[in-house]
Amino acid sequence: MASSFSSVAALQLLLGLLTINLHITDAQIGVCYGMLGNNLPSAREVISLYQSNNIRRMRIYDPNQAALDSLRNSGIELILGVPNDDLQSLATNPDSARQWVQTNVLNFWPSVRIKYIAVGNEVNPVGGSSWFARFVLPAIQNIYQAIRARGLHDQIKVSTAIDMTLIGNSYPPSQSSFRGDVRDYLDPIIGYLVYANAPLLANVYPYFAYAGNPRDISLPYALFTSPNVLVWDGQYGYQNLFDAMLDSVHAAIDNTRIGSVEVVVSESGWPSDGAFAATYDNARVYLDNLVRRAGRGSPRRPWKATEIYLFAMFDENQKNPELEKHFGLFYPSKQKKYPFGFGGGRNYGEVAIDQLNATLPLVSDM
């Protein structure tokens, strides 16, 4: 009986610790504000739409001055993007980086709560964006030094956003690694992130993984609707594809043995039209479950709630191919496309229990 009581007490303590950790960590969801549409509302209307829907984090892909001005005193935290086309000048000229920071950061800080600067998006050293790759790290470093010179390097973190194509082996997640042909590009960036205590930004899309391999990946696993753990990877259990993909990034970083780096999910979404499995219902279920999931960590990082930015705020009619036009959470009319909210609405105690079920071995397994 005493042994049983101490086991219960230990479990309650562990639940309490997890609950406290998750409660302390702000689990608010973010939404990416793309602007590639000719029928979108004004920046000021967009910021009001974020506020009225309790969306407290935003990502923009370039330093749009109207958006930055409208964000003043809004309380919305921001990922501020550096377009790939600007990387060369920022990498090769420290004065350009200092001027960029003055114009787009210091002129708005602190009334605009810039949290991260994403220097480049989905640059791949092998493929269509390979020309930009040589400029990513020096541009990051020059912007970081400009931020550091003003004493803001602990408040504004400078990073870059990658996509999942840089992962080579991703199954099982614990054996994940970055592709051999991108290590010369990524390893120095990871080394910088360790030094600067900055997270890696990762765009994580179960939709594309499922659409590319529906034979081996089930739709419930991709949509968070699987009733049970489908993949066991040692002590880690995976009930959904998002967690498996996120942990493959965690493991790939860990397996470089360079150092510990957190991961922020800088994009994730599901299109409602335009391609295989791109339906309104699939998008609604995925996005609703992703918002609910935002309050907890992944199996490999259960102690830290995952910071997630949904893609995207609006359907953008100037994007291609067709499915890229249908990722919006809102129509350009500002009407909500889906019925759910964005407050990360799950009970933290319930999250802790869920996480224990997903990641800790049962007594019967020992």
Side-chain angles (χ1 to χ4, degrees):
M1 189 72 179
S3 170
S4 208
F5 175 81
S6 62
S7 296
V8 170
L11 181 59
Q12 287 175 334
L13 176 61
L14 187 52
L15 283 171
L17 288 173
L18 284 174
T19 302
I20 289 167
N21 281 335
L22 288 173
H23 180 71
I24 289 171
T25 307
D26 178 11
Q28 285 289 336
I29 205 87
V31 179
C32 303
Y33 172 21
M35 304 178 190
L36 293 177
N38 60 13
N39 57 352
L40 300 181
S42 71
R44 198 161 298 281
E45 291 176 278
V46 173
I47 275 61
S48 294
L49 194 60
Y50 271 70
Q51 292 174 313
S52 63
N53 283 277
N54 195 34
I55 304 170
R56 299 183 185 177
R57 291 176 176 167
M58 174 188 290
R59 179 183 180 186
I60 59 175
Y61 294 87
D62 64 81
N64 180 282
Q65 299 295 291
L68 288 169
D69 199 50
S70 298
L71 280 164
R72 290 184 190 275
N73 303 312
S74 66
I76 294 171
E77 292 183 335
L78 182 67
I79 300 179
L80 174 60
V82 175
N84 293 349
D85 288 340
D86 292 348
L87 294 174
Q88 182 178 10
S89 65
L90 298 175
T92 56
N93 188 342
D95 286 337
S96 292
R98 282 190 286 270
Q99 185 57 54
W100 192 96
V101 168
Q102 180 63 54
T103 301
N104 303 306
V105 178
L106 301 177
N107 285 357
F108 296 94
W109 178 270
S111 63
V112 177
R113 298 177 61 188
I114 299 166
K115 188 175 185 181
Y116 307 117
I117 298 175
V119 182
N121 184 52
E122 298 188 348
V123 173
N124 190 326
V126 181
S129 59
S130 60
W131 186 82
F132 297 112
R134 75 192 88 168
F135 304 120
V136 173
L137 181 57
I140 288 173
Q141 291 169 325
N142 285 343
I143 289 178
Y144 171 79
Q145 291 301 333
I147 295 288
R148 185 182 178 90
R150 303 303 291 264
L152 296 175
H153 54 290
D154 289 332
Q155 295 154 282
I156 302 173
K157 297 298 183 178
V158 186
S159 186
T160 191
I162 67 166
D163 64 24
M164 297 299 292
T165 65
L166 301 190
I167 304 280
N169 177 53
S170 62
Y171 184 85
S174 63
Q175 300 303 307
S176 179
S177 60
F178 292 115
R179 287 174 16 213
D181 57 354
V182 305
R183 289 292 297 273
D184 287 347
Y185 165 70
L186 264 184
D187 282 16
I189 291 174
I190 293 170
Y192 153 79
L193 296 173
V194 172
Y195 159 74
N197 191 29
L200 179 65
L201 309 180
N203 299 340
V204 180
Y205 283 95
Y207 167 75
F208 290 111
Y210 169 72
N213 188 12
R215 183 175 66 87
D216 295 324
I217 298 173
S218 74
L219 186 60
Y221 188 56
L223 294 178
F224 297 92
T225 56
S226 173
N228 302 302
V229 170
L230 292 186
V231 174
W232 280 101
D233 180 13
Q235 65 179 308
Y236 304 119
Y238 293 94
Q239 199 167 337
N240 65 80
L241 181 57
F242 177 89
D243 278 355
M245 293 177 71
L246 175 57
D247 270 356
S248 74
V249 182
H250 286 136
I253 295 169
D254 294 345
N255 289 335
T256 66
R257 302 186 185 280
I258 295 170
S260 177
V261 174
E262 292 182 3
V263 176
V264 169
V265 178
S266 45
E267 287 182 17
S268 190
W270 195 290
S272 59
D273 200 357
F276 170 75
T279 68
Y280 175 89
D281 284 339
N282 285 347
R284 175 184 55 79
V285 170
Y286 176 80
L287 292 163
D288 186 13
N289 283 320
L290 184 59
V291 170
R292 294 172 185 275
R293 181 241 174 273
R296 64 175 175 85
S298 68
R300 289 183 73 91
R301 301 287 191 275
W303 57 85
K304 182 172 178 58
T306 309
E307 190 172 343
I308 301 171
Y309 292 77
L310 304 182
F311 185 86
M313 193 64 174
F314 299 105
D315 285 343
E316 298 171 69
N317 65 4
Q318 293 178 316
K319 298 192 75 173
N320 286 297
E322 180 63 26
L323 87 163
E324 293 286 348
K325 300 180 187 347
H326 302 284
F327 275 90
L329 301 169
F330 291 81
Y331 297 108
S333 65
K334 301 190 289 185
Q335 179 186 351
K336 241 176 154 179
K337 190 190 289 188
Y338 307 107
F340 54 81
F342 303 95
R346 289 190 71 169
N347 175 274
Y348 286 111
E350 183 182 70
V351 167
I353 293 168
D354 287 350
Q355 196 57 48
L356 281 173
N357 286 340
T359 61
L360 296 181
L362 301 175
V363 173
S364 61
D365 295 332
M366 293 180 175

